[in-house]
Amino acid sequence: EGVAVYGDHAFVAVDSGYAGVEGRLAIISTSNWTLDTIVNFGSSAIGIYSIYSYGGYIYCVNRTPYGGGNIGSITQFDPGTGNFVTNTMAVNIGAGYGMSGNLLYLGMNNSIGSYNLDTQTIADTTIINYSGSPGNIEIHSAGVDYINNKFYTNVGNRTMFGVGVVFSFAGDSLTSYSTGINADACAIDFRNPTGIPNTGTVKDAISIYPNPTTDFIGIN
């Protein structure tokens, strides 16, 4: 499923598939593209999907499996020690959509919500809400524009209607664009600002985030 790169390793979500019972994280060396290890997060991370790097940790958004009710989780993994903690919450978790500052935006209860990575708590469950809307309209995918503080979303009913809608971070609808029915992915191409090129070796004990960034950077 999802992939994030931190240091000289790629971290890959390994979903155990339909009727699976656990979530795992594959750690791959980017120097020779070999598998270093697979970390088993167990049943609490079932549905592992989107992966993000923040503050020296890897965060895994674990989607609620079909029929799983209003229980979902996010796993924090420490690449330095190999330790992990899974935060189980009483919400239906969907895919991750992106980060801005210390907030991770993701699907919550068929809406878009936010999760504070510093406090490991839910910040908002319903920034954008289509749950229970007429015609069974729902959010299929989204991307976070952290430069202009906007969400680019694909919404529809999976059968007859689909459109792209741009929202502010406050949840206000700004404009729309054509995407077609059931567009299951949305990505934003940031050409400026660009990330900092990796021109040398940085010790694993040092991390700079987020990258790319505006206004502020964090250094551990």
Side-chain angles (χ1 to χ4, degrees):
E1 301 292 355
V3 180
V5 174
Y6 175 77
D8 56 358
H9 285 84
F11 298 83
V12 183
V14 183
D15 187 352
S16 50
Y18 180 75
V21 296
E22 61 189 22
R24 296 174 292 167
L25 185 70
I27 304 177
I28 299 171
S29 171
T30 57
S31 60
N32 54 16
W33 297 107
T34 58
L35 176 67
D36 282 0
T37 188
I38 295 180
V39 182
N40 191 337
F41 292 153
S43 60
S44 61
I46 186 174
I48 186 171
Y49 192 76
S50 305
I51 308 291
Y52 298 94
S53 171
Y54 173 82
Y57 294 96
I58 301 298
Y59 289 90
C60 308
V61 177
N62 308 317
R63 296 194 303 181
T64 302
Y66 181 76
N70 290 331
I71 298 295
S73 67
I74 293 178
T75 300
Q76 180 195 65
F77 175 74
D78 186 338
T81 65
N83 297 327
F84 64 88
V85 177
T86 298
N87 184 11
T88 301
M89 299 163 285
V91 291
N92 187 290
I93 295 293
Y97 297 135
M99 295 190 305
S100 179
N102 64 343
L103 293 180
L104 169 61
Y105 295 97
L106 67 160
M108 288 187 181
N109 297 334
N110 297 317
S111 306
I112 291 182
S114 57
Y115 183 82
N116 189 312
L117 295 171
D118 290 333
T119 63
Q120 297 293 290
T121 58
I122 294 173
D124 194 336
T125 58
T126 53
I127 300 172
I128 301 171
N129 183 19
Y130 278 99
S131 180
S133 63
N136 295 319
I137 303 299
E138 60 182 89
I139 300 169
H140 297 161
S141 57
V144 175
D145 179 354
Y146 57 82
I147 302 297
N148 301 297
N149 297 334
K150 296 177 181 178
F151 299 106
Y152 284 78
T153 69
N154 296 308
V155 302
N157 62 6
R158 296 193 179 275
T159 57
M160 300 177 60
F161 170 76
V163 65
V165 183
V166 182
F167 292 90
S168 70
F169 273 7
D172 299 318
S173 176
L174 303 176
T175 187
S176 62
Y177 58 99
S178 177
T179 57
I181 297 173
N182 199 24
D184 276 336
C186 182
I188 300 175
D189 182 357
F190 292 105
R191 296 300 176 100
N192 187 24
T194 59
I196 300 171
N198 182 10
T199 58
T201 300
V202 179
K203 292 182 179 180
D204 290 341
I206 300 174
S207 65
I208 301 176
Y209 60 90
N211 180 17
T213 187
T214 57
D215 297 332
F216 302 99
I217 62 171
I219 301 176
N220 280 352

